[in-house]
């Protein structure tokens, strides 16, 4: 089953949240978990998506039906298939994020010898 752009976005958001949150406790024998309600609250609060709460629940249910995420013990987790898709999405967009990161770290002008300006 093919996933839509929105489903990929939700899966990527969940995967990236797990990745970043687990970095905070990497030296401990623990892993983070998140409930559907908390994840949807995070998406709404951080303004990652403008969808209504019910639409986000529906997208999570679809991802569950496609066996990309599991929902057990009231906690979300990526399945092996979901992790693979997350890694694929991450691999495709990472070069774009690297450009943003590099240009924010240092002045874009630093990378060129001559810079031209023109009147608008």
């Amino acid at each position: 089953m093919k996933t839509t752009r929105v489903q990929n976005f939700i899966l990527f958001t969940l995967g990236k949240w797990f990745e970043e949150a687990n970095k905070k406790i990497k030296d401990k024998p623990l892993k983070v978990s998140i409930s559907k309600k908390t994840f949807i609250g995070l998406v709404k609060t951080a303004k990652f998506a403008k969808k209504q709460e019910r639409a986000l629940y529906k997208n999570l249910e679809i991802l569950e039906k496609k066996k990309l995420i599991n929902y057990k013990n009231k906690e979300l987790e990526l399945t092996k298939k979901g992790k693979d898709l997350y890694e694929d999405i991450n691999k495709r967009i990472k070069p774009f994020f690297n450009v943003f990161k590099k240009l924010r770290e240092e002045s874009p002008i630093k990378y060129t010898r001559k810079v031209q300006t023109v009147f608008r």
Side-chain angles (χ1 to χ4, degrees), residues 50-64:
K50 294 180 182 175
K51 292 187 159 286
Q52 294 297 316
E53 199 170 300
R54 183 68 203 132
L56 292 168
Y57 271 108
K58 190 73 176 158
N59 278 297
L60 288 172
E61 288 171 5
I62 292 168
L63 291 173
E64 194 173 358

Side-chain angles (χ1 to χ4, degrees), residues 101-103 105-114:
K101 183 179 173 188
K102 199 67 164 169
L103 292 176
E105 284 175 355
E106 299 187 40
S107 171
I109 296 170
K110 179 186 177 208
Y111 299 109
T112 58
R113 291 170 105 206
K114 296 179 183 178

